[in-house]
Amino acid sequence: MLLLQPRAVPTALRAPPPRHQRRWRPAAPAPPLAAASGAIAVSSDEDAFTRCSGYLFEEGAATESELPTAYDLPGIAAVYRRRPLLVLRRSLQIGTSFGRWFALRYLDRVNERADDMFELRAAQLRRILLELGPAFVKIAQAVSSRPDVIPPAYLDELSLLQDRIAPFSTEVAFNIIEKELGLPLDMIFSEISPEPVAAASLGQVYQARLRSNGKVVAVKVQRPGVQAAISLDIYILRFLASLARKAAKLNTDLPAVLDEWASSLFRRLTLNTGKSHLMQEMNYREEARNGLKFRELFGKFRDVSVPEMYLEQTRRRVLIMEWIEGEKLSEVRDQYLVEVGVYCSLSQLLEYGFYHADPHPGNLLRTVDGKLAYLDFGMMGEFRQELRDGFIEACLHLVNRDFDALAKDFITLGLLPPTAQKDEVTKALTGVFENAVNKGVQNISFGDLSGNLGRTMYKFKFQIPSYFSLVIRSLAVLEGIAISFNPNYKVLSSSYPWIARKVLTNSSPKLRSTLETLLYKDGTFQIDRLESLLTESLRARTEQSLARNQQEDVDSKRYAIKQVLSFTLTDQGAFVKDLLLQEIAKGIDALGVATLSSATSAAAPRLPFTGGPSPLTSLNEEDLTNLRNLYRLLLLLSKFSQKENSSPAILQITGSNGAIEKEGGSADELSLALYEMTSLPEFLPVLSVIPELPPESQQQLLLLPADLTNRILSRAVARTIRRMFM
């Protein structure tokens, strides 16, 4: 899209020429000083953009008034049915351009020269896309950030499309500005660059200084005839997409996916799959409104910069916004800012449901003060709440290998039809994902998850909802940028801790039900899953902890203890706190029963009229389970409080799976329980951080003993009543 290249402001700007000097003659060439400060040099390669597809813009300038301002396929079709020769000419151009390229690739393989000719063919493909114009450039940009999917030679060539587009005439651009704003140029700006500092498929950017307040701004001007050119290509491509879907018998609705992409360029669209609004990129006022909303939501984040939008001076074809100096994120190899981007994207998607749907490398900059800057808000999306919850649930079930629940999530997200055979789908998903998940969440990549999914998608009629492709793209682009300088980077590894924190703290009834179901799989409390969620949530980088030079060691055990206590003693952690208190109360109640059983067993031989060691009470299977859970909860706490080389006592008395062995019966269970109590000094670090907790957390901590006592007494009373009526 539009790239704002860093350059010195004073040398970039010149006073705008008087209107009468500009209107009747071509624009003067830029002086050397302006060229050195960032003006675009036009190469013969870039001239192909105008030479081969210029007729589209010439025709488009004349027909744009006939086209609908919003994406309306019947309206577009009605216009181009009256121009069959133009449609035929464009179709032949597209067909012959790609046909010739595919024929050459085929001959390369036949002649066993495919590897030798690879880079040459990649360069030829880029030139073809450039010659075909904006629609094809935009499609290429959509795949130009995936080094794990696109071969490097193609990736290098496609990346050039993002900042090497021939600009149109500055004379025309200045006339558009004056016409749209209704004022002479010198009344709007005190200075403006004589040539564009960046050009893209939809428009180009000038640097200027507002006369009203003296601020330096970026002035974005839409390319004349671009809407008509893109409309014609969409009309042709949609027809081809319908043919491809029928010929290949694809489950994914390719025309609908194309409609979604086209809608993001033309208008705000409300989808049947949910309230997923995709904003106009052809109307700059909509883009400015998007930018204002994005700045309001995310501009306050630490190390995130969002340009200010000047909505009053913005029109349909002219956008004025704050100028931001910076370098492309993909070129500066800043791992920290990639993490900032992942956190911001997750907040966009899952917290606010309003996200940047086109975060390719040209739209992400590192500013001169080291912040992540977002540019270009023409393509935004809204993710409705039930789909956000479904996305979180799917990630949660995938990581925890709950493939039966994952199959249901796929139906919720619209990836599978409701009529799909869930048992067969579960079996298939297990085969597809199990190997990838077994590597651990920190090693899962999008490539791993794709695996054999293609055959599974075809068999079970998977479909890719149009909204879903943009959601995945917003995360996949960040992974692609990171992979370019860190091949081991996995976006899911950065995302899952945030998802774990979200599911542990969210008040959504649906997510709480999902969490409870996950932790009580088959009616048994799954402490290992709780441990995994808590551990991952500690890795989550919150807005407060996400700092480039953070002083506190987030990997220290003391930090972990403080984070766990702080979390469970807040309103956000109330649900998890209740679960923990419930399980601890069950365990202490079982421990009391075990203690009473042991005492009566020991005293029985000494009592008269007794025939042997017959305890007055005994542990049933539920008590044994509760006792084991108590041990494992103590183990969980000990893991947070122990030093790395420390070995808590419980590790010495538990089985290999972390559960207490049962061979010794209830007496052995009791012995182990009493022995474990001797390791309480190991938990002193937990007590030592209490003074460091916030006052409100300390107050909540003081209430825990009374709460726990009430729960234990309630269980004891219920147990007594049950025994009375047995």
Side-chain angles (χ1 to χ4, degrees), residues 137-287:
V137 170
K138 298 291 290 181
I139 293 172
Q141 287 176 342
V143 297
S144 65
S145 302
R146 298 298 307 180
D148 54 336
V149 176
I150 305 298
Y154 286 91
L155 194 67
D156 293 341
E157 291 293 336
L158 292 181
S159 66
L160 298 177
L161 290 170
Q162 296 174 357
D163 53 15
R164 295 187 62 192
I165 304 298
F168 59 92
S169 164
T170 291
E171 181 77 9
V172 173
F174 285 177
N175 287 339
I176 291 175
I177 295 173
E178 291 185 336
K179 182 178 179 181
E180 290 286 314
L181 273 66
L183 290 171
L185 202 67
D186 54 4
M187 291 186 65
I188 307 169
F189 308 112
S190 59
E191 297 173 281
I192 190 169
S193 57
E195 296 294 337
V197 296
S201 55
L202 300 185
Q204 58 199 40
V205 173
Y206 294 84
Q207 189 183 45
R209 191 184 301 277
L210 288 174
R211 184 171 291 280
S212 58
N213 57 22
K215 291 187 176 180
V216 178
V217 294
V219 183
K220 188 174 174 181
V221 186
Q222 189 178 108
R223 189 178 292 271
V226 68
Q227 182 177 345
I230 291 179
S231 297
L232 175 58
D233 285 342
I234 289 171
Y235 176 64
I236 295 171
L237 288 174
R238 199 181 188 283
F239 173 75
L240 296 176
S242 299
L243 291 181
R245 188 189 184 197
K246 293 177 182 177
K249 298 181 180 179
L250 300 175
N251 295 318
T252 298
D253 191 347
L254 287 181
V257 172
L258 186 62
D259 287 340
E260 180 79 0
W261 173 78
S263 300
S264 67
L265 295 175
F266 281 88
R267 66 183 177 96
R268 175 178 291 184
L269 173 68
T270 302
L271 298 168
N272 294 330
T273 56
K275 193 178 181 182
S276 178
H277 298 300
L278 295 175
M279 314 300 188
Q280 284 185 348
E281 195 165 2
M282 304 297 287
N283 186 334
Y284 285 163
R285 284 191 64 82
E286 287 293 340
E287 180 175 341

Side-chain angles (χ1 to χ4, degrees), residues 705-719:
D707 191 354
L708 183 60
T709 300
N710 289 334
R711 292 171 187 264
I712 295 171
L713 289 176
S714 297
R715 289 191 60 82
V717 170
R719 180 189 294 275

Side-chain angles (χ1 to χ4, degrees), residues 42-54 130-131 165-167:
V42 180
S43 69
S44 59
D45 182 49
E46 291 164 328
D47 286 337
F49 182 78
T50 303
R51 184 182 68 252
C52 298
S53 296
L130 193 61
E131 291 171 358
I165 304 298

